[in-house]
Structure formats: structure tokens, C-alpha cells
Amino acid sequence: MSTKDQSITSKTTNKADRHQEKLFLADVKAIIIEAGLGKTRSAILKKQLIVYGGQYHRSIQSDTTHIIASKNIKLARLCTILKIDTIPSNLIVVDADWLSQSLTKGQLIDVGQFNLVKRVQPKTTSVQLDKALTKDDNAATLEHGKKEQIKRHSDASPCTDNSDHNEVPPASQKRPLEEKKISSPVWLKIKRGRFSKTNTKKRAIDNSNIIHQPLDSDSDYVESDDDNNANTSEIEMVLSQLPAKYTAKPSSSWACARPSSLPVKNRNKHITDILEILQKKYENLGDQWRVKGYTKAISSIKNYPREITTREEAEAIPNIGKRLADKIWEIISCGHLRKLDYMDNDVQTALNVFTKIWGAGPATAHNWIAQGLYTLDDIRAKAKLNYHQSIGLKYYDDFNERIPRAEVVEIEAVIREEATAIEPGLEVITCGSYRREKPTCGDVDILISHPNGRSHQGAYHKLLRRLQAKDFLTEILVNQDVDIDHQKLLGVCKLPEEGRKYRRLDIIVVPYREWACSLLYFTGSGHFNRSMRLLARKKRMHLSEHAISVGVLRKVTACSVLKYGNQKLTRGTPVPTKCEADIFALLGLDYLEPKDRDC
DNA sequence: TGGCGGTACTG
DNA sequence: CAGTAC
DNA sequence: GCCA
């Protein structure tokens, strides 16, 4: 993980080397058994085998190395086709997926789990499940039952790719980049958003009209009796005034309406892996909308309980339309996407590296490449960087490293200590992926407020000064000081001990009336937030990091204007919320624990 | 065919 | 305003 | 990219 940039730091390679590397099937001399694979797929596999340096044999020859077959084929059938009694011991009988996935990766992958026969007895016996799965069982099995296939897929990951995080470098990553001029940056041609960004005139956040908690006169505490439904009566009151169609419970097609599935294993990793590469490509192109489409589709596939086997099946899955269904079908039938072959992997690799510099996005990355820069060393030496990017580059490795939960706890402790030294009652809570209970985090998101509704004021600046004074907060990237109630820091911190990494740290201070919405927002996930926002909108509400409002009319049509309290509105009326559960309730959703919002 | 979040920073 | 990030 |  830490050495991802080294791979492209030197750049001297010629065409011959490159072609050489592409012939990764040179040692594969194989027979492809059409039965069970289908004409199309076996034809494509054959072609690809040859393209990448392998040899295709029509029958067993002295130097044949592999027999490539469907994992469903029976041993007896195989022997019949090959006109033999037993499989010669020098031949490896391998699931066609092995070849497919190798093609996808651009390199040979371990044959282990794809091995269909391990020193086989010529007899076709249907073996017991547990026996078949035993590692060193020789009587292994061409009699794959469905159960076995499932097992096979569920533990497929370790071999194909043992990094769950987005480490998957493009197959060519280790290859140095070549100089190459880009004619006209493709991404420039992407048409920009058609709408003229509804002119948001510098409008300070005004929640002034938020209907506050009773916040009784001057007594400090609106005691939050720690349970989760202190506010329910009020929420129910609001709900009771809404039309029934807005209070109905949303179907589980909403990502925010179902717990993110821990139990569901991705049975279509072979598909999502490829789609994720494509998605990356569009990300690098700056095509945010297509990326969003892919995001939803990939997420749907990952939650799909079975292996997808037909085009129709794919298209029936939500968020998968005709075009993705076609791609999926190509992946299923040939094991890989031709579209990927046309991608310029050098450029893609450089883009992936560059956009991981904090502060650099697709546009900047393309500019650099257009200037002939391809490696981080190039950037260090020649690129013009703004302040953000220079910090991003300086801490490139650290920032791209995940943070273990234990360290997040340490960082949080430092901040809490300083915060409570300033103002004892301050609430300090770490949100983001930490709160969603992920094992590692990309950054540390800390939300701060004060239950009395006002003592958060001023704490922010004192806190920053303290953290800087002890050299904990080392860089300030963005210091967003909106008004007396809202501050946000995007910065960099490092724990004091020697050898600690520099970590991205976000600190957000909000007034307590916004606690619930902020907590919800900064806990995410992003996808979950989007889903919830969309749902809110559908229900004529509006959800933001500041508040949730009811009675929002987007286009001012003359239809019934909802009322709450005594205010008429077009922008909606913010509903006071005390905890996240209130927001779920308003939207008619069952409450989800943070860990279940990881979609 | 248009919408897919809204906002605030940097340069 | 474009680009980036949350 | 998908969907209404």
C-alpha cells in the first residue's frame, strides 16, 4: 500500500518490453472443452488465449499443459470428449473462470481454487460436500453441486485479489509509463452540467427561523434524558399533519431503508471488479453522473444474492439498465470486457495516482498529463501546485493509508481533552466511517457541539490554537468560519510519538439544534446520505447537514401549501430534531444503527 | 429529456 | 468562474 | 450510467 507510487517513478520502457509483458499466457498450452461453456465463450477464450501468447490444442498432445472446462462438467463426460480413461497426471484441469479472470487481470492468477481435478480417480463418484471441500482431497470432484459452487465463490477472493480496499492496481501498474502526448484531453469534451448552477448568492446559512427546542428561558440545560425518543411527541405531531402518502414507510428499494448487509456476500465479484475499473475511468474523466450511475449499479450487484447468469437477470436488477446489462453479459460470457483493452492503461494509471493527491481532481490530473507528466516524481519536479496540492503531495503516502480504529481513538482523545479543557460540557464525537464501525478509516471526522445550545461558540478558535500549540494540528487546509455558530476545519494532525503518520482531520462545530442532522450527515455513508436526501425530497421535505424541513415546495406551484406552526413557506419549515432517530421517524424509516448505514 | 445535494473554499 | 472537497 |  505504501509503495504504490514507486511503480511509476521510473519511466524507461520500450514497446518490446511491453509486448513481452502482455504475453502472460506464454506457458499455457491448453485444450478448451466447449461443452458447458458454450460456443461463444469458448471461442472467445480461445482467441484471447492465443492473443496473449498461449497455445490452443485441439487434442491432447505431449506438451499440453491445461484442460480448460466448465466447472459444471462431469468427469465422465470430460473423459468421453477427450477419448481417454483417466486424466493424465501432468495435465491441469481448470475452471474456465481461471482463464477469464487471468485475462481480466492481465496476468496469470493462482490456479488453486480453480483446479477442478486434483490427481483424479477416473471414476465419477458423487462425493460428499465436506469431503469435496477438503483441501487435500484427491478424489476431488467434477460433480459440483450448487452448494459447492457457492462455497467456491464465497472464498474466491483471497486468490483473485486479497485486498478488499481499492488497492487493485491496474494490471499494468508495475510497468513504467511511457511518454506520450495526448492529442486533445478527452475529458474536455464532456459536456458540462447543462443547468446554470442556480445562482447561489452568498447566502449565509440562516436557520434563524428554526423552531427551537423549548430551550426554556435561561436555564442552561435542555436535559436530554439520554434515551432516543425524547422528541417523539413533537415528531409525531408533525407527522400527524402530513398527508398519509408522505408518512408511509418507504420500500426497501431505498438504500436508507434497509440495513447495509453484512451477511450478503458479493457473488458477482468478477463483474463488479470490472465495473469498478470502468467506473474509475469515468471518474478520471470527470463524468460525475456516469460515476453515480455505476456506483448505484455496483452496489445493487453486490447486494444481489445469486450469481448473475443471464442478461435478462442482470437487467432486472434495480439500477441496471440495458447498457450495463450488455456489459455484464459480455463479462459473464467471455470473462472480460473488450472495452477495457482499449483503455490507455498508462494514462489511467497516472490519473489514478494523481487524483489521489488531496486537492487534485480529474481536471488537474489531465492538465499534468497533457504537460507530459506521468509520475509523482514528475509532479514533484515540474508541476505547478497550489497550496492544497503541495500538502497533498507532501503527505501522499500517509494520506492514502487507512487509519486503524485504535489510532482514531487516540486522535479523538487528544481533541476531547483539549475541548473539554476549554469548555467542560462540549460533546465530542467521531463520525464518518469510524462511527460506522469500519475497521479502518480514511480520515477522522470529529463533530463538536454543546448541549446548552451556546457554549460551542468560541470554542473552535481556542481549540485550534491549542491543537496547534502542541504541534498536533500541523496543517490547516481549509478553515471555514461561516458564522458564530458554524465552523469547519479540514486539516492535518499527527500524534506526538516518533514514527506516527500524518492524518487527515476534519473538525466540525455546530449549534446543538443541528446536532442530529449534523451527526447523521457526517456519519454517512455518502451513498446513504444521498438516498436519504432523495427520499426526503420525495416526501416534500428537505434534508441537509443543518436541518430537516417539511412542506418544501421546490417549484412554486399553486398547490396546497403545507403549514407548520404559523409560518407559510416555500422553503419549508425546519423541524426540531433531538436525535438521529427523529429524522428516521420523520421519513417513516426504521432507525438504523450507524454500522448499518454503510452502503 | 432532464435530474441525479448543496455549500464553501481556493485561485 | 472552474475545480475540489465535504 | 439509471430512472421517471
Side-chain angles (χ1 to χ4, degrees), chain A residues 295-347:
Chain A
T295 304
K296 292 172 90 173
I298 290 170
S299 170
S300 296
I301 297 174
K302 285 183 173 171
N303 283 320
Y304 190 69
R306 291 184 301 278
E307 184 177 342
I308 303 168
T309 56
T310 69
R311 186 200 302 254
E312 292 68 32
E313 188 179 3
E315 200 169 346
I317 300 174
N319 300 313
I320 293 181
K322 187 171 181 319
R323 317 185 54 165
L324 271 178
D326 285 346
K327 289 187 175 62
I328 291 171
W329 175 242
E330 192 182 338
I331 296 169
I332 297 170
S333 53
C334 356
H336 100 302
L337 254 190
R338 294 211 318 223
K339 199 175 166 82
L340 291 186
D341 297 337
Y342 303 135
M343 271 177 26
D344 186 326
N345 288 317
D346 293 347
V347 169

Side-chain angles (χ1 to χ4, degrees), chain A residues 84-123:
Chain A
I84 50 176
D85 295 332
T86 61
I87 306 290
S89 59
N90 57 333
L91 288 186
I92 304 172
V93 182
V94 67
D95 179 354
D97 288 345
W98 168 75
L99 182 53
S100 298
Q101 294 189 21
S102 294
L103 288 167
T104 309
K105 268 200 113 180
Q107 65 187 56
L108 276 186
I109 61 176
D110 184 26
V111 81
Q113 57 161 336
F114 297 99
N115 210 338
L116 294 179
V117 180
K118 307 182 179 171
R119 269 164 291 142
V120 128
Q121 303 162 352
K123 195 161 164 296

